Amino acid sequence: MTQGKASAPAKIILFGEHFVVYGNPAILASIDKRIFVRACIRSDKEDRISIRSDIGMAGQYDGNGEFMISKGGVESKATLDPLYSAIKRILLARNSRTGIEIGISSRVPPGVGLGSSAASCVATVAAVDSLFQKKPNKHKICELAIESEKLIHKTTSGADCYVSTFGGLIKYQCKSKGFKKLETKRSFPLVVANTGIKHSTGDLVAGVRKFKDRNHVLFNNLAKQASDICFQASIALKSGKRYRVGQLMNENHTILQQIGVSHHKAEDLIEICRNSGAVGAKITGAGGGGSVIALAGTREDRTVVASRIQAAGYDSFEVEIDQKGLIV
Ligand code: PMV
C-alpha cells in the first residue's frame, strides 16, 4: 500500500471537563464534524516527512527531525510536532525509515475546545498505520494518539482521543478504567457556539491545577459535585430526559465558573442560548474562550438558538452525535 486514508470526528464534552484530569468521570460525544487525513509513501525515496493542513499550516521534517516551516509561522511547529511524533512512533515500531507525505483537511475549528488536535492525531496515526496493515487496531491507534497529544498538554486525560477513536456518547473516567458507551432513547438537539477566542488547553489545565493546590477543600468539594452531576446525567441521557440533561449542564457550568475557566464571551453566549430557549448551556472543553454547547428542547428550538447566536455575531452550528468514530 502506498496511500492510506482515515478520518476522525471532533468532540464535545457534555459533563466533567477538567475534573476528568484528576480521575473523575466525564461524558463526551463525538460530533458530525471530521478531520480527514491522507498519508502517502514518498515516491522520491527520501526520508523526509511533510505535513500540510488546510487550516493554513505546512512544514517538513528532515531525517534528523529538523523542521522547516512552509506555511503558518511558529504556530505551525507546535501544531504539527505531535503529528510528526505520532508518525515517527509508527515508523519506529515498523522498523521503517520511509518518507511520508501527509495531507489534512479539516471541518473543525481549531483551538476552541472541539478536540481538533485529538482528531488530527487519531486520523494521522490511523492513516499512516494503514500503510503497513489492513485492519486497524483502534485501541493501539488511540494509545499512540494519546502519547502524541501529551506534547500538546502533558497531563491529558486521554478522553478526547478515546471519543474520537470510538465515537458515540461515552462515559470516560481514566485510561485504566476505559470508557462505557451510553445508549440513549432519544436524540439530543445540540448547538455549538464559538467565542472565536482560541485557548491553550495546557495553560488552562495548569491554571486549574494552581487553583486546586490553593483551594484543596473547595476543589475536592467541586469535584465531588461534578462527579454527582455526571452520574445523574448518564441516567438522564440514557432515558432521553432532555430537560433534566439541560438542567445538569447549567449546574456543571456553575462549577466551571468557580474553577475560573469561563470567559466573558462564553458567558455572553450562554446568556443568549438560555434567553433564546435552550434548556441548558455550558462551556465545553478547557474554556477560557473556546466553545459553548447548548441543548434545546426540540430540533425546531435548536434552529432558533443557532440563529440567535449568529444574529449576535458569533459562529454557531447544529450538531448531531457521530456514532462511527475513526473511519479507516
Ligand atoms: O478544550 P479541549 O478540547 O482541549 O478539552 C480539554 C479537556 C480537559 O478536560 C480540560 C483536559 C483533558 O485532558 O481532559
Side-chain angles (χ1 to χ4, degrees):
M1 175 88 73
T2 54
Q3 196 183 149
K5 277 197 273 185
S7 74
K11 68 93 193 36
I12 51 176
I13 302 184
L14 285 148
F15 299 97
E17 52 272 269
H18 284 291
F19 297 100
V20 68
V21 171
Y22 303 97
N24 297 289
I27 296 177
L28 300 94
S30 61
I31 56 172
D32 55 348
K33 290 239 173 247
R34 287 188 164 257
I35 290 192
F36 299 83
V37 176
R38 184 186 292 265
C40 300
I41 303 258
R42 293 185 77 97
S43 50
D44 57 12
K45 306 255 188 299
E46 300 229 18
D47 59 359
R48 281 174 290 160
I49 291 173
S50 50
I51 309 176
R52 175 169 296 277
S53 164
D54 68 354
I55 60 165
M57 291 181 187
Q60 188 160 271
Y61 297 83
D62 69 16
N64 300 317
E66 284 297 319
F67 182 66
M68 253 178 48
I69 303 170
S70 22
K71 210 172 175 188
V74 280
E75 215 193 303
S76 246
K77 182 165 159 54
T79 306
L80 302 182
D81 272 358
L83 305 181
Y84 169 71
S85 114
I87 297 165
K88 283 306 275 184
R89 271 176 225 271
I90 298 171
L91 295 180
L92 200 70
R94 300 279 168 195
N95 206 9
S96 167
R97 285 187 60 86
T98 186
I100 295 201
E101 280 177 40
I102 300 286
I104 302 174
S105 162
S106 176
R107 311 274 180 279
V108 186
V112 287
L114 300 176
S116 68
S117 64
S120 307
C121 282
V122 169
T124 302
V125 169
V128 175
D129 185 61
S130 75
L131 296 170
F132 298 96
Q133 64 171 18
K134 270 209 181 99
K135 213 172 147 33
N137 176 335
K138 283 196 171 188
H139 283 279
K140 261 218 161 102
I141 289 168
C142 185
E143 276 289 314
L144 279 170
I146 291 174
E147 283 311 307
S148 311
E149 268 269 289
K150 285 186 182 159
L151 284 183
I152 302 170
H153 106 87
K154 263 201 297 246
T155 55
T156 177
S157 65
D160 286 18
C161 288
Y162 265 93
V163 75
S164 183
T165 307
F166 296 98
L169 182 65
I170 67 165
K171 188 164 176 199
Y172 176 90
Q173 191 146 3
C174 57
K175 260 172 65 186
S176 58
K177 288 200 177 155
F179 68 94
K180 222 166 81 189
K181 282 226 177 191
L182 299 177
E183 305 298 338
T184 57
K185 287 216 172 97
R186 268 175 112 187
S187 63
F188 287 87
L190 288 156
V191 179
V192 171
N194 181 350
T195 60
I197 312 286
K198 284 194 184 184
H199 65 206
S200 152
T201 304
D203 290 351
L204 284 151
V205 169
V208 171
R209 190 173 296 277
K210 266 195 199 140
F211 176 88
K212 172 181 174 285
D213 292 345
R214 288 198 197 117
N215 307 277
H216 244 295
V217 177
L218 174 61
F219 188 85
N220 288 343
N221 192 352
L222 292 172
K224 163 95 181 52
Q225 287 178 41
S227 296
D228 286 349
I229 288 175
C230 263
F231 175 71
Q232 291 173 47
S234 57
I235 299 171
L237 283 161
K238 279 190 218 160
S239 48
K241 293 198 169 120
R242 288 178 185 160
Y243 287 88
R244 179 70 184 136
V245 172
Q247 206 176 30
L248 292 164
M249 284 167 69
N250 290 338
E251 286 178 22
N252 194 159
H253 184 69
T254 306
I255 295 177
L256 293 171
Q257 284 174 323
Q258 290 180 73
I259 59 170
V261 297
S262 196
H263 184 277
H264 67 92
K265 288 212 169 180
E267 292 302 320
D268 188 28
L269 275 171
I270 287 169
E271 204 181 309
I272 296 168
C273 293
R274 290 178 185 158
N275 289 343
S276 54
V279 297
K282 65 181 276 291
I283 272 180
T284 186
S291 297
V292 156
I293 49 169
L295 176 65
T298 64
R299 282 172 191 271
E300 294 72 28
D301 289 355
R302 164 170 75 176
T303 306
V304 173
V305 174
S307 57
R308 294 271 172 83
I309 296 166
Q310 283 160 20
Y314 293 100
D315 180 26
S316 87
F317 46 91
E318 300 177 28
V319 289
E320 298 299 332
I321 296 178
D322 153 278
Q323 296 297 341
K324 297 194 182 99
L326 169 67
I327 300 174
V328 185

Coordinates of all heavy atoms in Angstrom, one line a residue, residues 11 13 16-21 112-117 149 153 155-160 199 201 205 284-287, ligand 1:
K11 N -15.2 16.5 18.9 CA -16.0 16.1 20.1 C -16.5 17.3 20.9 O -16.0 18.4 20.7 CB -15.1 15.2 21.0 CG -13.9 16.0 21.7 CD -14.3 16.5 23.0 CE -13.5 17.5 23.7 NZ -12.8 18.6 23.3
I13 N -17.5 18.0 25.1 CA -17.6 17.4 26.5 C -18.9 17.9 27.1 O -19.1 19.1 27.2 CB -16.4 17.8 27.4 CG1 -15.1 17.3 26.7 CG2 -16.5 17.2 28.7 CD1 -13.8 17.6 27.5
G16 N -18.1 17.2 33.0 CA -16.9 16.7 33.7 C -15.5 17.1 33.2 O -14.5 16.6 33.7
E17 N -15.5 18.1 32.2 CA -14.1 18.6 31.8 C -13.3 19.1 33.0 O -13.9 19.5 34.0 CB -14.2 19.6 30.7 CG -15.0 20.8 30.9 CD -16.4 20.5 30.4 OE1 -16.8 20.8 29.3 OE2 -17.2 20.1 31.3
H18 N -12.1 19.1 32.9 CA -11.1 19.5 33.9 C -11.0 18.5 35.1 O -10.0 18.0 35.4 CB -11.3 20.9 34.5 CG -10.9 21.9 33.5 ND1 -9.5 22.1 33.2 CD2 -11.5 22.8 32.7 CE1 -9.4 23.1 32.3 NE2 -10.6 23.5 32.0
F19 N -12.2 18.1 35.7 CA -12.2 17.1 36.8 C -11.7 15.8 36.3 O -11.2 15.0 37.0 CB -13.5 17.1 37.5 CG -13.9 18.5 38.0 CD1 -14.7 19.3 37.4 CD2 -13.3 18.9 39.2 CE1 -15.0 20.6 37.9 CE2 -13.5 20.1 39.8 CZ -14.4 21.0 39.1
V20 N -11.9 15.5 35.0 CA -11.5 14.2 34.4 C -10.0 14.0 34.5 O -9.5 12.9 34.5 CB -12.1 14.1 33.0 CG1 -11.5 15.0 32.0 CG2 -11.9 12.6 32.5
V21 N -9.3 15.2 34.5 CA -7.8 15.1 34.5 C -7.4 14.5 35.8 O -6.3 13.9 35.9 CB -7.2 16.6 34.4 CG1 -5.7 16.6 34.7 CG2 -7.5 17.1 33.0
V112 N -10.6 25.6 19.9 CA -11.7 26.2 20.6 C -12.5 25.0 21.3 O -13.7 25.1 21.4 CB -12.7 27.0 19.6 CG1 -12.1 28.3 19.3 CG2 -13.1 26.2 18.4
G113 N -11.8 24.0 21.8 CA -12.4 23.0 22.7 C -13.2 21.9 22.0 O -13.9 21.2 22.6
L114 N -13.0 21.8 20.7 CA -13.8 20.8 20.0 C -12.9 19.5 19.6 O -13.3 18.7 18.8 CB -14.4 21.4 18.7 CG -15.4 22.5 19.0 CD1 -15.9 23.1 17.7 CD2 -16.5 22.1 19.9
G115 N -11.7 19.5 20.2 CA -10.9 18.3 20.0 C -10.2 18.1 18.7 O -10.0 17.0 18.2
S116 N -9.9 19.3 18.0 CA -9.4 19.2 16.7 C -8.0 18.5 16.7 O -7.6 17.8 15.8 CB -9.3 20.5 16.0 OG -8.4 21.4 16.6
S117 N -7.2 18.8 17.8 CA -5.9 18.2 17.8 C -5.9 16.7 18.0 O -5.2 15.9 17.4 CB -4.9 18.9 18.8 OG -5.5 18.7 20.1
E149 N -0.6 13.4 21.9 CA -1.4 14.6 22.5 C -0.6 15.1 23.7 O -0.8 16.3 24.0 CB -2.7 14.0 22.9 CG -3.8 14.2 21.9 CD -4.5 15.5 22.1 OE1 -5.3 15.7 23.1 OE2 -4.3 16.4 21.2
H153 N -0.6 18.8 25.7 CA -0.7 19.1 27.1 C -0.4 17.8 27.8 O -1.0 16.7 27.6 CB -2.0 19.8 27.4 CG -3.1 19.1 28.1 ND1 -3.2 18.9 29.4 CD2 -4.2 18.5 27.5 CE1 -4.3 18.2 29.7 NE2 -4.9 18.0 28.5
T155 N -0.6 16.5 30.8 CA -1.4 15.7 31.7 C -2.8 15.3 31.1 O -3.8 15.2 31.8 CB -1.6 16.4 33.0 OG1 -2.2 17.7 32.7 CG2 -0.4 16.6 33.8
T156 N -2.8 15.2 29.8 CA -4.1 14.9 29.1 C -4.8 13.7 29.7 O -4.1 12.7 30.1 CB -3.9 14.7 27.6 OG1 -5.2 14.4 27.0 CG2 -3.0 13.6 27.3
S157 N -6.1 13.8 29.9 CA -6.9 12.7 30.4 C -7.0 11.6 29.4 O -7.3 10.4 29.7 CB -8.3 13.1 30.9 OG -9.0 13.6 29.7
G158 N -6.8 11.9 28.1 CA -7.0 10.9 27.1 C -8.4 10.9 26.6 O -8.7 10.2 25.6
A159 N -9.3 11.6 27.2 CA -10.7 11.5 26.9 C -11.0 11.9 25.4 O -11.8 11.2 24.7 CB -11.5 12.4 27.8
D160 N -10.4 12.9 24.9 CA -10.6 13.4 23.6 C -10.3 12.3 22.5 O -11.0 12.1 21.6 CB -9.8 14.6 23.2 CG -10.3 15.9 23.9 OD1 -11.0 15.8 24.9 OD2 -9.9 17.0 23.5
H199 N -7.9 28.9 22.7 CA -7.3 28.8 24.0 C -6.1 27.8 24.0 O -6.0 27.0 23.0 CB -8.3 28.3 25.0 CG -8.9 26.9 24.8 ND1 -10.2 26.6 25.2 CD2 -8.5 25.9 24.1 CE1 -10.4 25.3 24.8 NE2 -9.4 24.9 24.2
T201 N -5.1 24.6 25.9 CA -5.6 23.6 26.9 C -4.6 23.4 28.0 O -5.0 23.4 29.2 CB -5.9 22.2 26.2 OG1 -6.7 22.4 25.1 CG2 -6.5 21.2 27.1
V205 N -5.4 24.0 31.9 CA -5.3 22.9 32.8 C -4.3 23.2 34.0 O -4.5 22.9 35.1 CB -4.9 21.6 32.1 CG1 -4.5 20.4 33.1 CG2 -6.0 21.1 31.2
T284 N -17.7 24.0 26.8 CA -17.3 22.6 26.5 C -15.8 22.6 26.3 O -15.3 23.5 25.6 CB -18.1 22.1 25.3 OG1 -17.8 20.7 25.2 CG2 -17.8 22.8 24.0
G285 N -15.1 21.7 27.0 CA -13.7 21.6 26.8 C -13.0 22.5 27.9 O -13.6 22.8 28.9
A286 N -11.8 22.9 27.5 CA -11.0 23.6 28.5 C -11.5 25.0 28.9 O -11.2 25.5 30.0 CB -9.5 23.7 28.0
G287 N -12.3 25.7 28.1 CA -12.8 27.0 28.4 C -11.8 28.1 28.1 O -11.1 28.0 27.1
Ligands
PMV1 O1 -10.6 22.1 25.2 P1 -10.1 20.8 24.8 O2 -10.7 20.2 23.6 O3 -8.6 20.7 24.7 O4 -10.5 19.8 26.0 C1 -9.8 19.7 27.2 C2 -10.5 18.8 28.2 C3 -9.9 18.9 29.6 O5 -10.7 18.1 30.5 C4 -9.9 20.3 30.1 C5 -8.4 18.4 29.6 C6 -8.3 16.9 29.5 O6 -7.2 16.4 29.3 O7 -9.3 16.1 29.6

